[in-house]
Amino acid sequence: MSRSSRRARAGLRTYARNFGTDERTTRRLMRERAGRDYVTEAYEAAGGPGWQGDALTDRDRSLAVIAALVASDVVDERLDVYVGLARRSGLDDAGLTQLMILLTAYVGQPYASAAMQAVGRTSRHVGLGEPPRRP
């Protein structure tokens, strides 16, 4: 990423904040998970107004992304990232549980109940630098 745009650099910082890791670790995690070409585009997108605008907070953004992921039945470590961001932005287990209950009415019980596992998985783990601890 030596010749990246200002927007891509802002996107990398956003992913680092969302992951709860430093930029070097984020760069490595992103490349391992998605490959260089995909990551380049992801950084550009995250450097744009959706994540850089001032009308939404990180809490707002995390709730929107959590809802979108749950509605898409994405309940793996990608969901964990945004549940972690929601936690770091002030949402606790009670708030996350209420969100999953609310989502049940809109996306269905199977998706929201599977997403509740992420709430439990992340209650003791907020960042991505290490794998979540299993009970």
Side-chain angles (χ1 to χ4, degrees), residues 11-23:
L12 170 61
R13 287 190 301 275
T14 296
Y15 272 100
R17 183 178 71 239
N18 292 353
F19 284 5
T21 61
D22 60 70
E23 290 180 19

Side-chain angles (χ1 to χ4, degrees), residues 4-80:
S4 64
S5 71
R6 182 180 335 179
R7 185 170 169 157
R9 287 189 300 274
L12 170 61
R13 287 190 301 275
T14 296
Y15 272 100
R17 183 178 71 239
N18 292 353
F19 284 5
T21 61
D22 60 70
E23 290 180 19
R24 184 178 201 168
T25 301
T26 298
R27 205 176 282 117
R28 178 183 55 78
L29 290 169
M30 289 286 288
R31 284 190 182 146
E32 286 172 1
R33 292 174 183 174
R36 189 183 68 186
D37 291 341
Y38 183 88
V39 168
T40 299
E41 291 300 315
Y43 290 157
E44 288 288 333
W51 281 98
Q52 305 305 317
D54 58 6
L56 299 173
T57 66
D58 279 348
R59 185 178 190 269
D60 298 333
R61 290 179 181 98
S62 65
L63 291 171
V65 174
I66 289 168
L69 291 174
V70 172
S72 300
D73 197 23
V74 175
V75 295
D76 58 17
E77 65 190 11
R78 293 169 291 174
L79 179 58
D80 293 354

